[in-house]
């Protein structure tokens, strides 16, 4: 090998000298040439193909004389190498005749006549070689000589027969890549010969190549796969229609690997620049469309790779860009429970990979091509609103932003585009501006799930401000960067979701202020309602949409529409579904921020009508002259109807109590969101009075008890949030306190469960102050409910499980703490020590109780009270150093 390389290098400057020496050794009579001679001859033809052309005839003639003496092994391989390289040199000459001085006329016939006898000998004697190396060498020689013989019509039939033999070798050799390289070389030669392959042979080639690509037992490597694909492209240049038809037939059935291979080969055809395959692109795309819904993840991946190839290869063909929709369809299909609102998100590894591929393809779209603005704009914009595509918002946002920038740069100049681009734009179902705003707000409000997605949503909002509403440009130019700056400075661990949601809703409210179009704001509320209907129950998205809808109604100037929406939610909300109740309260309470009187009057009207109907339904009965006879008759004949009537009445009562609870919380929600300057003048006669009226049921259900505590607490906090209330006094404070104390007396355990002490604590901060008698009664009732509970041992004895006993102990401990906080608040509300004296008076009896656990609890409460006294005393001393240290409270 080293000596052969030296001779080839020497031939660069002394070609004829080296070639003459080689020919003399080749013609030596009576023996097979040395291996070095054969190796060097093969390398000479590979390196100096055109210079070797004059020596082709004598070289092949000399080889014919020694073929019969060549055995097997290395010499046979060397001879085959000479035949392969010299045949390829001849083919090189056919393609570059102008660069060679050898006579052109009749060259093909002379070379074919020189090669044909050698070709026949090799075919007859060497095709059945056993050794793998010899098989590979014979393959290369036969394919190269076949390529020369195809230039002459008289030898083509014999050559086609050996092409079928070549395909048969896929099942004979261990390394099929050499077969593929030989096949590719023959097909490349045909491109210059301009002689089509017989249709039967062409079908055999397509079948063999497809079988190699779909063989899962011997999967070809990347290099081999590329050569196989090249074979299909070369064949499609001659038989484009037949090739596409064959591959399409492989898509309609067969194995998964076969369908994957067929889609991959169609993608290769898309990549080809040959005019014949370009004309068949519509049929190619249609063929791949038949397997878009294939259940196999591998086939769907192949389809997506095909789409990537199609979009990167076809610039301005409008029909080709229609496949963009399949990217979103596939993303939605593989998302599964990852669609917004899913409670238990999960995905398989294959689905995750497909979703990532969809996003990668969308992110790699080249929007800089001419005509892309109108071509892509309608296709991409329609996927912003549907919730199932929210996961693709990041690359989608980047594409749309780039398109908006191009449109702005173009100005009034119209871009050149495909003739059907305008028609496609008209047919696209573009989302309404309000739908875009509503959906992007939902995505932006959830930074925990994807901070990058929230940023993309805000950036897209800013880019689309002109499409959403022309009045938003100036506002969003200031507001959006502030939100983005907030996101950039926060991480998932430090971002408070409630605070971020408040900022997004505030942004929505600020966006509605410059819009004076009533119809537009009505449309926004309708769009939010529509998206509410399609959101998953109890999802975060649904809760946010309720808040956003309430904010939109607050900014709506069509008062009739606002009232209709409020009434609709009051009437349609199921009072026993917590998520629906929370959503309704959010809508109604937030609408009251700007329409306080309208919303309050609507709720009051609905509440009065509902409670009146409830009273009528529950108080109606049968009036009969002989009750005894009637009861007997009912018992004997109509007992099932009686039972049904009882069940219905019970259901009606429970639902009515649930509705009352919802209305109570609605009133407190209105108070929480009411304008501060309007709350105080209506809280007594229109809010608190209705809460107390709705709570006057003889048997309070659990939701009614909880609603009463929450409502009183929220209303009290709302009054305190007004700030300087001046001389405002809650006239219903005593009644509310009395209602809670009566509950504590009747049901001390339930009062601990529902946290009545917190409501009393907030009430005690309001004016007017309780009288001394009322304060003593409050302290007495509260201490009685907490301190008189049974001992820990008795509480444990009455519980069926350890968990129930532990829960009871925790509940009682919380009651002690709440009682201490209530007493501390009462001390802060008093300016004299009278309240402290009353507390001591009430606790004195418990401190001297005969029961150890009652004394222990009383001591615990006393410690809390003394701690509150100490804090207050220290605060007074810090404010007034001259205060007497011996007197905790000035009298």
């Amino acid at each position: 090998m080293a000596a052969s390389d030296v001779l080839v290098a020497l031939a660069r400057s002394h070609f004829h000298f080296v070639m003459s020496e080689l020919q003399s050794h080749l013609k030596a009579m009576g023996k097979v040439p040395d291996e070095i001679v054969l190796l060097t001859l093969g390398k000479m033809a590979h390196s100096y193909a055109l210079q070797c052309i004059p020596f082709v005839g004598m070289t092949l003639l000399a080889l014919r004389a020694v073929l019969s003496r060549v055995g097997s092994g290395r010499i046979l391989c060397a001879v085959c190498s000479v035949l392969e390289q010299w045949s390829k040199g001849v083919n090189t000459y056919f393609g570059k005749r102008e660069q060679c001085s050898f006579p052109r006329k009749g060259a093909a016939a002379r070379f074919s006549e020189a090669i044909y006898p050698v070709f026949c000998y090799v075919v007859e004697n060497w095709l059945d070689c056993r050794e793998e190396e010899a098989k590979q060498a014979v393959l290369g020689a036969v394919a190269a000589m076949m390529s020369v013989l195809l230039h002459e019509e008289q030898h083509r039939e014999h050559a086609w027969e050996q092409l079928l033999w070549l395909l048969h070798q896929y099942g004979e050799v261990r390394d099929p890549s050499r077969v593929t390289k030989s096949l590719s070389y023959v097909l490349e030669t045909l491109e210059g010969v301009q002689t089509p392959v017989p249709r039967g042979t062409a079908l055999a080639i397509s079948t063999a190549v497809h079988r190699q690509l779909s063989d899962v037992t011997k999967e070809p490597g990347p290099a081999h796969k590329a050569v196989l694909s090249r074979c299909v492209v070369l064949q499609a240049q001659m038989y484009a229609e037949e090739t596409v038809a064959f591959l399409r037939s492989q898509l309609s059935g067969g194995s998964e690997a076969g369908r994957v291979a067929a889609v991959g080969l169609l993608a290769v055809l898309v990549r080809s620049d040959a005019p014949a395959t370009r004309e068949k692109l519509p049929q190619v795309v249609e063929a791949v469309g038949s397997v878009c819904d294939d259940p196999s993840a591998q086939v769907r991946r192949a389809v997506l790779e095909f789409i990537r190839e199609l979009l990167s290869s076809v610039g301005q063909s409008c029909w080709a860009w229609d496949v963009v929709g399949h990217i979103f369809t596939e993303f939605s299909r593989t998302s599964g429970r990852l669609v917004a609102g899913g409670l238990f998100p999960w995905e398989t590894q294959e689905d995750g990979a497909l979703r990532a591929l969809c996003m990668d393809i969308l992110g790699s779209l080249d929007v800089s091509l001419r005509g892309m603005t109108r071509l892509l704009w309608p296709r991409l914009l329609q996927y912003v609103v549907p919730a199932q595509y929210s996961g693709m918002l990041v690359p989608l946002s980047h594409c749309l932003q780039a398109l908006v920038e191009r449109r702005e740069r173009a100005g009034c100049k119209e871009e050149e585009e495909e003739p059907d681009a305008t028609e496609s734009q008209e047919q696209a179902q573009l989302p309404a501006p309000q739908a875009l705003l509503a959906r992007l707000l939902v995505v932006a409000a959830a930074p925990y799930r994807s901070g990058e997605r929230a940023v993309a949503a805000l950036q897209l909002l800013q880019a689309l401000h002109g499409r959403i509403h022309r009045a938003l440009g100036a506002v969003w130019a200031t507001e959006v960067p502030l939100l983005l700056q907030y996101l950039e400075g926060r991480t998932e661990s430090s971002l408070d979701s409630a605070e971020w949601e408040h900022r997004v809703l505030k942004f929505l409210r600020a966006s509605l202020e410059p819009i004076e179009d009533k119809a537009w704001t009505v449309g926004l509320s309708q769009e939010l309602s529509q998206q509410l209907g399609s959101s998953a129950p109890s999802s975060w998205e649904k809760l946010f949409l309720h808040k956003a809808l309430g904010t939109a109604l607050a900014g709506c100037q069509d008062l009739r529409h606002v009232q209709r929406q409020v009434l609709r939610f009051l009437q349609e909300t199921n009072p026993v579904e917590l998520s629906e109740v929370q959503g309704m309260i959010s809508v109604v309470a937030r609408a009251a921020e700007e329409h306080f009187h309208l919303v309050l009057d609507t709720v009051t009207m609905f509440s009065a009508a509902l409670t009146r109907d409830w009273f009528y339904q529950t108080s109606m009965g049968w009036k009969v002259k002989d009750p005894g006879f009637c009861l007997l008759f009912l018992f004997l004949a109509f007992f099932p109807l009686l039972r049904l009537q009882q069940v219905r009445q019970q259901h009606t009562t429970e639902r009515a109590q649930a509705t009352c609870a919802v209305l109570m919380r609605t009133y407190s929600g209105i108070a929480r969101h009411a304008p501060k300057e309007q709350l105080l003048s209506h809280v007594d006669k229109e809010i608190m009075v209705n809460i107390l009226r709705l709570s006057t049921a003889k048997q309070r259900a659990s939701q009614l008890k909880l609603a009463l505590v929450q409502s009183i607490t929220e209303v009290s906090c709302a009054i305190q949030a007004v700030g300087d209330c001046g001389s405002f006094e809650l006239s219903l404070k005593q009644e509310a306190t009395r209602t809670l104390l009566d509950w504590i007396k009747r049901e001390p355990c339930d009062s601990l469960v529902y946290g009545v002490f917190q409501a009393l604590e907030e009430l005690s901060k309001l004016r007017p102050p309780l009288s001394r008698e009322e304060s003593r009664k409050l302290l007495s009732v509260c201490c009685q409910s907490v301190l008189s509970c049974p001992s820990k041992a008795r509480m444990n004895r009455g519980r069926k499980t350890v968990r129930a006993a532990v829960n009871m102990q925790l509940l009682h401990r919380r009651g002690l703490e709440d009682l201490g906080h209530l007493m501390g608040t009462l001390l802060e509300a008093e300016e004299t020590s009278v309240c402290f004296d009353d507390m001591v008076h009430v606790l004195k009896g418990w401190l001297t109780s005969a029961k150890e656990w009652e004394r222990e609890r009383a001591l615990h409460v006393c410690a809390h009270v003394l701690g509150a006294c100490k804090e207050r005393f220290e605060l007074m001393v810090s404010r007034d150093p001259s205060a007497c240290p011996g007197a905790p409270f000035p009298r």
Side-chain angles (χ1 to χ4, degrees):
M1 292 295 295
S4 176
D5 291 339
V6 171
L7 289 173
V8 174
L10 180 63
R12 186 178 300 128
S13 55
H14 300 83
F15 177 82
H16 289 282
F17 174 75
V18 174
M19 181 58 71
S20 298
E21 287 296 321
L22 291 172
Q23 292 294 331
S24 64
H25 283 77
L26 185 63
K27 296 176 182 178
M29 299 297 294
K31 67 173 185 177
V32 177
D34 293 336
E35 186 179 2
I36 185 176
V37 175
L38 298 172
L39 289 174
T40 307
L41 277 172
K43 293 180 180 180
M44 291 284 285
H46 178 74
S47 301
Y48 313 109
L50 296 181
Q51 292 175 269
C52 290
I53 292 300
F55 301 94
V56 171
M58 64 181 70
T59 302
L60 293 175
L61 185 62
L63 283 174
R64 284 174 60 188
V66 300
L67 287 177
S68 60
R69 293 194 293 271
V70 174
S72 60
R74 295 170 58 180
I75 297 300
L76 186 145
C77 293
V79 171
C80 289
S81 176
V82 174
L83 293 174
E84 179 181 0
Q85 296 302 328
W86 281 74
S87 298
K88 288 183 176 180
V90 172
N91 283 319
T92 302
Y93 163 75
F94 288 149
K96 300 179 179 180
R97 296 184 184 186
E98 67 280 353
Q99 301 178 17
C100 184
S101 59
F102 193 79
R104 302 179 185 177
K105 188 175 181 180
R110 289 199 299 271
F111 289 139
S112 297
E113 291 301 322
I115 286 178
Y116 186 70
V118 181
F119 176 76
C120 290
Y121 183 87
V122 173
V123 168
E124 291 175 2
N125 297 280
W126 292 355
L127 293 187
D128 297 330
C129 293
R130 299 292 183 183
E131 299 177 2
E132 179 68 18
E133 187 176 359
K135 285 183 180 181
Q136 299 283 358
V138 172
L139 268 174
V142 170
M145 291 188 290
M146 189 192 316
S147 300
V148 177
L149 295 178
L150 288 173
H151 286 80
E152 283 296 311
E153 186 175 357
Q154 58 180 337
H155 301 307
R156 285 173 187 165
E157 184 176 353
H158 194 189
W160 293 136
E161 293 176 359
Q162 301 314 310
L163 183 56
L164 294 175
W165 169 84
L166 182 67
L167 297 176
H168 180 70
Q169 298 310 300
Y170 274 122
E172 301 295 330
V173 298
R174 289 195 297 268
D175 181 13
S177 62
R178 184 61 184 270
V179 181
T180 306
K181 290 179 181 178
S182 300
L183 177 62
S184 175
Y185 182 77
V186 173
L187 293 175
E188 287 175 354
T189 302
L190 289 174
E191 192 176 7
V193 178
Q194 296 183 349
T195 298
V197 183
R199 294 186 183 274
T201 305
L203 178 61
I205 293 174
S206 299
T207 304
V209 171
H210 179 263
R211 186 180 293 117
Q212 288 297 306
L213 287 170
S214 59
D215 188 358
V216 294
T217 60
K218 298 179 181 179
E219 186 175 356
H224 187 198
K225 191 178 294 185
V227 181
L228 286 167
S229 301
R230 172 66 177 163
C231 291
V232 173
V233 172
L234 291 170
Q235 183 163 319
Q237 292 175 4
M238 295 177 283
Y239 295 115
E241 185 173 352
E242 288 79 358
T243 303
V244 173
F246 169 78
L247 294 176
R248 183 165 191 166
S249 67
Q250 302 304 311
L251 295 175
S252 59
S255 65
E256 175 189 50
R259 298 195 298 277
V260 171
V263 175
L265 290 174
L266 289 171
V268 173
L269 294 183
V270 167
R271 195 185 311 135
S272 172
D273 293 329
T277 56
R278 285 285 172 178
E279 293 177 0
K280 299 299 178 183
L281 278 180
Q283 290 89 330
V284 171
V285 175
E286 183 183 356
V288 175
S290 64
V291 291
C292 284
D293 296 328
D294 196 286
S296 167
Q298 295 301 320
V299 176
R300 302 206 310 272
R301 169 180 279 276
V303 171
L304 289 174
E305 293 291 356
F306 170 86
I307 291 175
R308 183 207 293 273
E309 199 65 54
L310 179 67
L311 297 182
S312 62
S313 303
V314 184
Q316 300 177 29
S317 296
C318 184
W319 59 267
W321 287 91
D322 286 333
V323 299
V324 170
H326 178 71
I327 303 175
F328 293 91
T329 302
E330 185 61 45
F331 181 89
S332 175
R333 177 180 181 179
T334 56
S335 294
R337 299 190 189 182
L338 294 179
V339 175
L343 293 178
F344 306 103
W346 64 274
E347 63 178 351
T348 63
Q349 185 176 359
E350 293 82 1
D351 286 347
L354 288 175
R355 291 175 64 250
L357 181 58
C358 290
M359 295 183 66
D360 184 55
I361 295 174
L362 185 61
S364 62
L365 285 183
D366 186 4
V367 299
S368 63
L369 298 175
R370 187 179 60 180
M372 285 299 101
T373 300
R374 292 201 176 193
L375 196 59
L376 271 183
W377 180 260
R379 289 170 169 79
L380 295 181
L381 197 63
Q382 60 186 334
Y383 294 107
V384 175
V385 175
Q388 62 265 34
Y389 307 126
S390 295
M392 296 189 74
L393 188 66
V394 174
L396 180 60
S397 173
H398 294 164
C399 289
L400 287 171
Q401 289 179 63
L403 291 173
V404 170
E405 292 176 3
R406 289 198 62 187
R407 291 173 66 137
E408 291 177 351
R409 287 197 303 267
C412 299
K413 298 180 181 179
E414 295 289 338
E415 289 188 281
E416 296 183 13
E417 54 186 292
E418 288 288 300
D420 53 349
T422 304
E423 181 183 354
S424 175
Q425 186 175 13
E426 293 174 353
Q427 293 176 354
Q429 297 179 353
L430 299 182
Q434 296 92 332
L436 288 171
L437 175 59
R439 188 63 213 163
L440 291 175
L441 278 178
V442 171
V443 178
Y448 267 131
R449 303 185 180 184
S450 175
E452 186 181 5
R453 199 182 303 170
V455 170
L458 291 171
Q459 291 174 342
L460 186 56
L461 272 177
Q462 191 169 18
L464 297 176
H465 69 85
R467 178 174 181 80
I468 294 175
H469 199 282
R470 61 181 179 272
L472 297 174
V475 177
W476 284 2
T478 303
E479 295 291 336
V480 173
L482 291 177
L483 292 175
L484 292 173
Q485 184 178 4
Y486 178 83
L487 280 179
E488 292 170 358
R490 297 295 185 112
T491 61
E492 285 194 2
S493 59
S494 64
L495 182 60
D496 183 81
S497 58
E499 180 184 358
W500 172 246
E501 182 182 273
H502 173 72
R503 286 175 177 266
V504 174
L505 292 172
K506 185 178 179 182
F507 165 75
L508 172 60
R509 187 70 189 91
S511 302
L512 296 176
E513 289 178 358
I515 300 178
E516 300 177 355
D517 186 356
K518 292 184 179 180
W520 197 95
T521 54
V522 168
L524 177 61
S525 68
Q526 292 172 342
E527 181 59 40
L528 288 167
S529 297
Q530 183 177 350
Q531 293 191 20
L532 260 175
S534 60
S535 298
S538 304
S539 64
W540 171 90
E541 178 181 325
K542 199 175 189 73
L543 293 177
F544 175 79
L545 281 170
H546 277 113
K547 297 175 185 177
L549 176 57
T551 304
L553 291 176
C556 182
Q557 300 304 316
D558 189 338
L559 300 184
R560 294 184 62 185
H561 175 74
V562 175
Q563 187 177 38
R564 285 196 300 268
Q565 289 295 308
V566 171
L567 269 176
R568 180 175 71 84
F569 275 95
L570 288 171
Q571 293 169 352
E572 297 179 1
T573 299
N574 186 355
V576 298
E577 288 291 338
L578 180 60
S579 60
E580 289 190 31
V581 170
Q582 291 176 339
M584 183 275 290
I585 294 173
S586 294
V587 172
V588 175
R590 291 178 182 275
E593 291 179 358
E594 292 295 331
H595 308 295
F596 176 72
H597 293 287
L598 175 67
V599 172
L600 184 58
D601 292 344
T602 304
V603 174
T604 302
M605 176 184 65
F606 175 80
S607 173
L610 190 68
T611 53
R612 182 175 61 251
D613 293 342
W614 174 45
F615 176 79
Y616 175 78
Q617 293 172 7
T618 55
S619 62
M620 287 296 290
W622 290 335
K623 297 181 179 180
V624 295
K625 296 181 179 180
D626 189 350
F629 174 79
C630 187
L631 286 176
L632 179 61
F633 178 76
L634 287 174
F635 182 79
L636 295 176
F638 300 104
F639 179 77
L641 294 179
L642 255 180
R643 181 59 182 163
L644 180 61
Q645 179 67 17
Q646 292 175 355
V647 172
R648 286 178 176 175
Q649 187 173 356
Q650 181 181 1
H651 176 73
T652 302
T653 303
E654 292 175 354
R655 189 174 182 86
Q657 289 199 1
T659 303
C660 290
V662 171
L663 289 172
M664 291 163 62
R665 293 180 56 192
T666 304
Y667 276 113
S668 63
I670 293 174
R672 201 170 62 249
H673 288 272
K676 294 181 179 180
E677 64 275 7
Q678 300 180 29
L679 174 62
L680 298 181
S681 58
H682 297 82
V683 69
D684 245 329
K685 297 181 179 180
E686 298 183 53
I687 295 179
M688 184 63 83
V689 67
N690 282 305
I691 291 175
L692 295 176
R693 178 179 59 84
L694 290 166
S695 69
T696 56
K698 294 182 179 180
Q699 296 294 330
R700 292 192 184 98
S702 58
Q703 66 266 34
L704 200 61
K705 296 174 182 178
L706 182 61
L708 176 61
V709 173
Q710 289 180 340
S711 300
I712 292 178
T713 304
E714 289 179 358
V715 171
S716 302
C717 292
I719 295 173
Q720 298 170 48
V722 174
D724 186 10
C725 299
S727 59
F728 173 76
E729 292 185 351
L730 182 64
S731 61
L732 294 173
K733 175 182 176 179
Q734 284 77 6
E735 183 179 347
T737 303
R738 187 165 51 253
T739 301
L740 295 176
L741 290 180
D742 290 343
W743 179 9
I744 294 175
K745 287 180 181 179
R746 291 196 311 268
E747 306 170 16
C749 186
D750 275 5
S751 65
L752 295 179
V753 172
Y754 296 105
V756 179
F757 290 166
Q758 289 94 328
L760 288 171
E761 182 180 347
E762 297 300 331
L763 268 177
S764 64
K765 298 176 183 178
L766 304 178
R767 300 175 64 181
L770 297 176
S771 65
R772 186 173 186 182
E773 182 181 354
E774 292 172 335
S775 179
R776 275 195 174 190
K777 181 179 179 182
L778 184 149
L779 291 171
S780 177
V781 171
C782 292
C783 289
Q784 176 70 26
S785 66
V786 176
L787 302 182
S788 65
C789 288
S791 65
K792 185 183 298 185
R794 286 186 60 187
M795 284 192 290
N796 292 345
R797 194 182 308 126
R799 305 296 159 186
K800 294 182 179 180
T801 63
V802 176
R803 184 178 183 85
V806 171
N807 289 339
M808 191 62 194
Q809 294 172 18
L810 292 175
L811 178 64
H812 188 261
R813 187 182 306 165
R814 193 189 73 177
L816 284 173
E817 295 175 356
D818 291 345
L819 178 60
H821 288 301
L822 174 60
M823 290 184 168
T825 303
L826 292 173
L827 285 174
E828 292 177 5
E830 292 290 338
E831 298 180 354
T832 65
S833 60
V834 174
C835 183
F836 181 78
D837 295 339
D838 291 337
M839 289 181 186
V840 173
H841 177 77
V842 172
L843 289 173
K844 184 177 180 181
W846 296 100
L847 290 170
T848 58
S849 172
K851 300 176 181 178
E852 180 183 355
W853 60 87
E854 292 182 353
R855 297 196 303 270
E856 181 182 355
R857 294 167 186 167
L859 281 172
H860 179 85
V861 176
C862 284
H864 191 96
V865 172
L866 291 173
C869 291
K870 180 182 178 183
E871 291 177 3
R872 183 174 181 182
F873 174 73
E874 291 175 350
L875 179 62
M876 292 176 60
V877 170
S878 64
R879 291 178 178 176
D880 185 9
S882 63
C884 177
F889 300 100
R891 292 188 179 273

